[in-house]
Amino acid sequence: MSTVRPTPTQSPLSDPVAESPRFTVPPFAVIPGAQVQHTLQGQERQIMELIEDTYDLHCAGQSVNPPSYFLRFPDRPTARIIALPASIGGQARVDGLKWISSFPGNVQAGLPRASAVLILNDHDTGYPFACLESSIISATRTAAMAASAARTLSRRQGTRPTRVGFFGTGLIARYIHTFLAATGWSFDETGVHDISADSAAGFQSYLEGTGASTRVTVHDSPEALIRSSDLLVFATIADRPHITDPAWFEHNPLVLHVSLRDLAPEILLASTNIVDDVEHCLKADTSPHLAEQLTGNRDFLAGTLHDVTTGRAALPPDRPVVFSPFGLGVLDLAVGKHVYDEAARTGQLQVIDGFFHELRRYG
């Protein structure tokens, strides 16, 4: 293994004789989690802008983002591994795949629920040129999208939530709080609820350790948390709806439904629903997918976040607003390529020498 500063994507070399260009196989690098975290730390505003720019590219048709593929196991019904292939144009010009597992049983053993890698592929040759630890990248792009949505939707509503509630207190909740705080949000009250008292207490300690001047309250019941929050963050590992009473939302909060499966269809049908991408979000038994199955149509959707930004979707003031982001592979690519470029720029890439061996077509 060596540390070099290669060009991320090799340009074709002109050949006056050959009719087609010749390409160079890029070196293959491995970027571990500590390096990913170091690169992204303190860049919340920059990453949120990157996510917004990438989302705009996607909505403008400058990406390829096929459906995610779910690997499930008959002997482990709560576990899954998801493949998110994607390709992005613009300045990044990169293809790739996120391979992320969700094993809820890990939590009982003291391990994070999710683990992931991200593979980046060269635009010209298709050769993989990097493998990055990606649970941090995944959490980062999720939190950046959530913070972006909170800013966009609250501005369109003409309100600024002063009471935030976190339902689920794991890694994603912590990252979302970090991005909210780093992008200008402050709250008079912060509520916490988790089915695990230890997890709730741990998150409370984390919040109090940030030094923010906010009152932190751990709520014993979901109803108490929901009714006391203007901005709600759902970041659980629920695989089916467990919040069923629309009356709990009668104060019309802004809801970041990041975990996608917490809310019963009846709650969505009484709300203004915004998604990141319609086709991606209405599948895999997400709450919006269940609402579609219940009603037989998609009329309950007001539009996408891009529709809100461009003024094509309105947010009535007399209903809760629920944002349900499925999560797009192009966002992982954008953040991963940013990390790669930073490592290359600073000469910190860990390259695996000779990773590709059979490079002669006829030996």
Side-chain angles (χ1 to χ4, degrees):
M1 180 180 293
S2 61
T3 301
V4 299
R5 190 184 305 202
T7 303
T9 302
Q10 302 292 332
S11 300
L13 303 175
S14 59
D15 188 332
V17 178
E19 295 182 0
S20 59
R22 292 185 294 117
F23 297 97
T24 302
V25 174
F28 186 81
V30 174
I31 303 180
Q35 191 174 5
V36 172
Q37 187 173 58
H38 177 75
T39 301
L40 294 175
Q41 195 163 17
Q43 293 194 359
E44 288 84 7
R45 289 183 180 271
Q46 180 180 351
I47 296 302
M48 191 170 80
E49 291 175 0
L50 173 64
I51 289 297
E52 291 173 344
D53 291 343
T54 304
Y55 183 59
D56 288 343
L57 279 176
H58 172 71
C59 293
Q62 297 188 48
S63 69
V64 181
N65 205 110
S68 301
Y69 299 91
F70 288 74
L71 175 62
R72 300 186 183 276
F73 314 96
D75 62 326
R76 292 158 288 168
T78 65
R80 64 181 186 265
I81 308 179
I82 312 172
L84 288 80
S87 175
I88 184 172
Q91 294 184 344
R93 256 183 28 125
V94 66
D95 314 321
L97 173 77
K98 180 171 78 170
W99 181 238
I100 181 166
S101 66
S102 174
F103 279 55
N106 287 353
V107 176
Q108 299 298 321
L111 294 173
R113 170 188 60 86
S115 58
V117 294
L118 176 69
I119 300 295
L120 302 181
N121 291 75
D122 179 70
H123 177 275
D124 295 325
T125 66
Y127 270 82
F129 64 85
C131 176
L132 298 86
E133 195 285 330
S134 196
S135 66
I136 296 169
I137 290 172
S138 186
T140 296
R141 64 87 154 145
T142 299
M145 190 65 173
S148 174
R151 182 178 66 177
T152 298
L153 296 173
S154 62
R155 283 179 176 176
R156 289 292 175 174
Q157 287 181 302
T159 61
R160 182 75 168 183
T162 60
R163 304 174 301 167
V164 64
F166 289 90
F167 198 126
T169 56
L171 178 74
I172 298 300
R174 174 162 60 86
Y175 269 73
I176 291 175
H177 175 267
T178 298
F179 266 81
L180 289 173
T183 54
W185 288 84
S186 61
F187 302 97
D188 297 333
E189 300 177 28
T190 299
V192 175
H193 176 75
D194 198 290
I195 59 173
S196 165
D198 289 342
S199 295
F203 194 63
Q204 179 184 21
S205 296
Y206 155 74
L207 291 171
E208 293 172 345
T210 63
S213 56
T214 179
R215 182 168 66 254
V216 180
T217 302
V218 176
H219 294 278
D220 293 333
S221 71
E223 181 180 3
L225 175 78
I226 292 168
R227 288 188 180 275
S228 64
S229 303
D230 305 317
L231 173 64
L232 277 159
V233 179
F234 282 90
T236 74
I237 58 173
D239 60 356
R240 61 179 60 88
H242 55 99
I243 304 298
T244 60
D245 192 344
W248 294 359
F249 299 82
E250 61 188 4
H251 58 299
N252 301 326
L254 172 57
V255 181
L256 303 179
H257 189 207
V258 176
S259 39
L260 287 174
R261 295 172 178 85
D262 302 277
L263 304 181
E266 291 76 12
I267 293 173
L268 298 192
L269 297 180
S271 305
T272 299
N273 292 282
I274 305 297
V275 297
D276 55 351
D277 183 283
V278 174
E279 295 302 327
H280 283 80
C281 196
L282 270 66
K283 62 181 53 167
D285 290 333
T286 63
S287 294
H289 188 204
L290 296 179
E292 179 188 32
Q293 294 176 37
L294 179 65
T295 61
N297 60 62
R298 298 178 174 182
D299 296 345
F300 63 93
L301 290 180
T304 66
L305 187 62
H306 188 258
D307 291 332
V308 175
T309 303
T310 56
R312 291 195 295 267
L315 303 179
D318 58 345
R319 292 164 67 88
V321 174
V322 178
F323 176 60
S324 300
F326 191 81
L328 301 170
V330 291
L331 304 183
D332 295 281
L333 277 188
V335 176
K337 184 59 161 49
H338 169 76
V339 171
Y340 179 92
D341 289 344
E342 284 295 296
R345 182 183 64 82
T346 58
Q348 299 300 310
L349 278 180
Q350 301 180 44
V351 171
I352 308 298
D353 295 322
F355 184 81
F356 296 108
H357 178 63
E358 277 285 3
L359 298 178
R360 297 175 62 89
R361 187 173 184 185
Y362 298 110

